[in-house]
Structure formats: structure tokens, C-alpha cells
Amino acid sequence: MNSEAMRQGLKTFFGHTTFRPGQMEIMQYVIRKENALGILATGGGKSLCYQLPALLMPHMTVVVSPLISLMADQVRQLRSRGIRGVEYINSSLSMQEHNWKLNQVRQGNVKILYVSPEKLQQESFMKQLATMKVSLFVVDEAHCISQWGHDFRTDYQRLSQHIERLGSPPVLALTATATAEVQNDICRQLAIPGSNIVLQSVNRENICFDVQYVADEQAKAGAMLEKIKRLQGPGLVYFRSRNAAERACETARQENVPRCAYYHGGMPAEERLLLQQQFLNGELDIIFATNAFGMGIDKPDIRFVIHYHLPPDMESYLQEVGRIGRNGERDMRACFLLQMTACCLDS
Ligand code: ADP
Ligand code: MG
């Protein structure tokens, strides 16, 4: 496996002609069988950094991914490209499906296996997996490892033990989160040398960022409505509270904004799943949401994100606006609505 084989594979497997910034640099470490951490913006093309080498390496690649919907999505996308030998195993499977897939793994028919971190925790599963040869171990959304990350997951902390059980294959960690604390945690826990970090700019050139100042709450609500009527969907409006998201949706409906809905963590799981599906299928154009909405949403044509409230931190902000314009289309919009405080008005 070398750079030339990668270039060739990019074309034959994925139909792309050029690498995105950072992809080749990250894969260089994989080629050399060194542990590495790749930090690319959301939508920057992290998946390809392991999928392409995985297809060229002799044995199986194991990918740890935090969300069931993310795994199913990735497997679906690869299959739609005609790529065979990709499976996922997590708690959503029936016993029958689970056993069938595990059998596929044991027979060596699986090239890329997505697993949930919980699954690796199961001794019976791990025992079987440990009999297989593993070429590469991938930790997607690796910020989940860090207590400083925005969605810390305790089962991500045992990964180093699992990697050892799988014969210590090279490790590739990927995330869009670039704070120093998170980087340190990832590198420490996965034995990645500090020099093996590829950090690309998180700037997204197809997104136009704007801030609109408003005098009070009423003006803010008005500005939001005006924006969603003017901007072309699909789009997302983020709020800090569930109530605010519901209220805004009500107002929008009263104003005859079509095909909109609200989404937050207080809603039943089935209802949330249904909304996600409707949005992904293009049956809904606008979602008024809290930060519960988003992880695992890989919708290429989201045209705008409006922040009605400030997100809790910079990392959340980057994740949220990173969902815009993944298809590379130009002139996508990220808008901030900011209420002017007395001090702003004075100056
Ligand atoms: P993320 O970094 O958020 O995980 P993905 O891996 O999901 O991003 O990739 C985002 C989009 O970019 C996908 O639709 C993918 O097909 C596309 N993509 C990735 N690499 C390339 C490339 N080299 N050329 C063109 N499109 C690419
Ligand atoms: Mg990703």
C-alpha cells in the first residue's frame, strides 16, 4: 500500500479525483502503520481516511463509532458505492442478525466492521473478535474519549484494553474537536505520539457567517422569522432551551412557514427518529432544535443554521455549523442572532 495505490483507490472505489486537505497526510500514518490523530472539520471527509486504506489492507478494519444511526448510515453509503464486506454490529440487531453478521466476520468476509464501544465491552463478543486478524483500529468521534469533549462517553475509556486484545493494530483516531485538552486525552489514552497529529483548519469556505444584532426578544423573534422565510431550506435553528424551540416552531406555523418541526431531548425516542428521517428524506425543511439534534445527521444539502441562542462552547458551535453545505455548494449561511446589551448600545 502506497500513495499511488491510494490515489487509484480514491477513483475506483469512491469516484473522486482529488483528496480533500489533510486526508493524504492522515493516511500516510496509516500506510506506515503508525498511530495517529486526524482533526478535520465536520464534513471535511474523515471517513475516507480509514475507509480507503481499509479496502487496500489485507485484514479487517474495526471502527468504533458512538451512534447506531451513524454506523447504519456509513454502511449504507459504502454499499451504495458498490463496496461489499462492510457490516456493523451493535445492540440494535436481533439475535439472528447479530449471529449472521458475526459469522460473516469469522469467515473473513468483512473488510470494515463498525462496532459500538458497548459491544466491545461484551466478553463473549470480544472473544470471537480477538480470533480475527485486524489491520487497523479506528476510533471515530474520538473526542468522546475525553472528559473535556462535548459528548464524553465512559465506554470510550476502555478502548486501549480492547486494542491490545485485538493484537495491538495501528490506531487511527478522528474528530472535529481541536482543543488542546481533548487532543492530549486522545493521544494519551490511545498511545498516539504528539507528533502524529494532523490538524486542518476548521474554516469552511463555502459558508458565509453573519451576525445580526437585535434590540430585544421581540425583535429577535421577528428577525428569525424573516430569515427563515428568506433563506432557502433545509435549515436548522438552534436554541438553548426546549421551550424556546417549541415556541419558535409554534410562531413559525402561525406565520404559515411550511414543513417545520421542533426537536429536543424531552421528546419520545420514536418521535425523534421519525423527525430525523423526515428531515433526511426532505419531507421537512426546518427544524427548531436544541443541541440534542445533530450528531449523526449526515445530510449533504443543509443550507443554513441559525443560532437563536449562543451555544455552550466553541466546539458545539463548530459541530453545529459544520452540518451546513456538506455537498460543497457555495453561499451557505451560518447566522447568529445577538441581543444587544446595554454596553453594546452605549459604545
Ligand atoms: P466527516 O469529516 O464529518 O466525517 P465525511 O467523512 O462524512 O465527513 O465526509 C463528508 C462528505 O465529503 C461525504 O459526502 C464524502 O463523500 C465527501 N468526501 C470525502 N472525501 C472526499 C474527496 N476526496 N472528494 C470529494 N468528496 C469527498
Ligand atoms: Mg464523520
Side-chain angles (χ1 to χ4, degrees):
M1 194 170 59
N2 55 31
S3 310
E4 194 37 50
M6 295 290 190
R7 225 170 288 282
Q8 199 62 54
L10 180 70
K11 191 120 206 291
T12 37
F13 294 121
F14 296 92
H16 304 316
T17 42
T18 50
F19 286 108
R20 294 253 181 96
Q23 287 182 327
M24 199 59 187
E25 289 86 336
I26 293 173
M27 290 189 299
Q28 290 294 346
Y29 287 106
V30 180
I31 292 176
R32 293 201 298 266
K33 300 193 170 61
E34 288 181 36
N35 291 4
L37 165 61
I39 304 166
L40 300 185
T42 308
K46 289 183 284 294
S47 316
L48 190 118
C49 298
Y50 63 83
Q51 289 168 346
L52 177 51
L55 295 171
L56 300 172
M57 287 186 302
H59 308 296
M60 185 168 66
T61 289
V62 174
V63 186
V64 179
S65 177
L67 278 186
I68 289 172
S69 60
L70 270 180
M71 292 183 218
D73 232 49
Q74 300 274 350
V75 169
R76 208 175 316 118
Q77 279 178 23
L78 286 168
R79 289 197 183 142
S80 74
R81 294 187 185 281
I83 295 170
R84 302 270 146 239
V86 284
E87 288 294 350
Y88 66 88
I89 295 186
N90 57 38
S91 57
S92 76
L93 301 176
S94 68
M95 181 73 98
Q96 207 178 4
E97 286 174 308
H98 178 275
N99 291 344
W100 188 85
K101 289 185 185 207
L102 193 56
N103 222 9
Q104 291 298 105
V105 170
R106 293 214 315 256
Q107 288 173 11
N109 295 337
V110 176
K111 206 77 193 142
I112 304 179
L113 178 67
Y114 286 88
V115 288
S116 59
E118 298 84 11
K119 199 71 214 169
L120 293 175
Q121 227 77 283
Q122 279 178 15
E123 180 51 31
S124 57
F125 175 73
M126 205 48 202
K127 220 170 171 169
Q128 309 252 20
L129 199 61
T131 62
M132 302 302 300
K133 284 194 170 146
V134 176
S135 286
L136 177 66
F137 191 94
V138 179
V139 184
D140 200 11
E141 311 289 348
H143 57 268
C144 292
I145 252 181
S146 172
Q147 309 238 20
W148 303 100
H150 42 85
D151 31 46
F152 173 60
R153 300 268 297 258
T154 44
D155 16 74
Y156 259 66
Q157 299 220 299
R158 305 235 169 81
L159 290 179
S160 63
Q161 299 164 27
H162 306 316
I163 294 166
E164 221 178 292
R165 291 251 338 244
L166 296 177
S168 302
V171 177
L172 175 61
L174 296 163
T175 179
T177 304
T179 64
E181 291 104 333
V182 173
Q183 284 179 41
N184 281 340
D185 275 358
I186 297 172
C187 289
R188 191 170 40 80
Q189 292 194 47
L190 298 175
I192 298 169
S195 53
N196 290 12
I197 300 176
V198 177
L199 172 62
Q200 273 295 318
S201 161
V202 288
N203 184 28
R204 292 278 308 280
E205 283 171 2
N206 64 334
I207 304 175
C208 163
F209 292 83
D210 80 52
V211 179
Q212 183 171 347
Y213 291 96
V214 290
D216 52 30
E217 198 56 38
Q218 201 186 344
K220 198 177 195 179
M224 177 201 66
L225 272 175
E226 190 264 325
K227 271 192 192 298
I228 55 178
K229 284 181 178 171
R230 188 163 43 81
L231 294 172
Q232 198 191 328
L236 303 171
V237 190
Y238 278 108
F239 299 83
R240 282 295 280 273
S241 81
R242 296 170 175 182
N243 263 337
E246 288 192 21
R247 271 202 314 271
C249 184
E250 271 319 304
T251 315
R253 282 177 179 155
Q254 280 162 18
E255 293 276 325
N256 299 318
V257 174
R259 297 163 30 114
C260 57
Y262 63 84
Y263 182 109
H264 56 65
M267 297 159 65
E270 314 90 78
E271 202 175 320
R272 282 187 283 156
L273 200 64
L274 181 68
L275 285 172
Q276 269 195 26
Q277 285 308 332
Q278 289 178 328
F279 186 62
L280 289 174
N281 295 340
E283 292 153 27
L284 280 171
D285 284 332
I286 295 164
I287 308 274
F288 299 90
T290 61
N291 62 0
F293 186 81
M295 179 128 99
I297 303 283
D298 185 14
K299 185 171 165 64
D301 60 346
I302 296 176
R303 300 184 57 87
F304 69 83
V305 166
I306 298 173
H307 276 90
Y308 195 90
H309 293 132
L310 287 168
D313 51 48
M314 195 62 192
E315 300 308 320
S316 314
Y317 179 70
L318 287 173
Q319 291 272 352
E320 284 159 13
V321 298
R323 305 196 171 108
I324 308 168
R326 285 178 168 220
N327 53 10
E329 226 182 289
R330 304 208 63 80
D331 296 326
M332 306 287 102
R333 298 292 288 268
C335 313
F336 243 121
L337 295 173
L338 276 189
Q339 204 166 317
M340 278 186 282
T341 60
C343 77
C344 289
L345 288 170
D346 281 349
S347 56

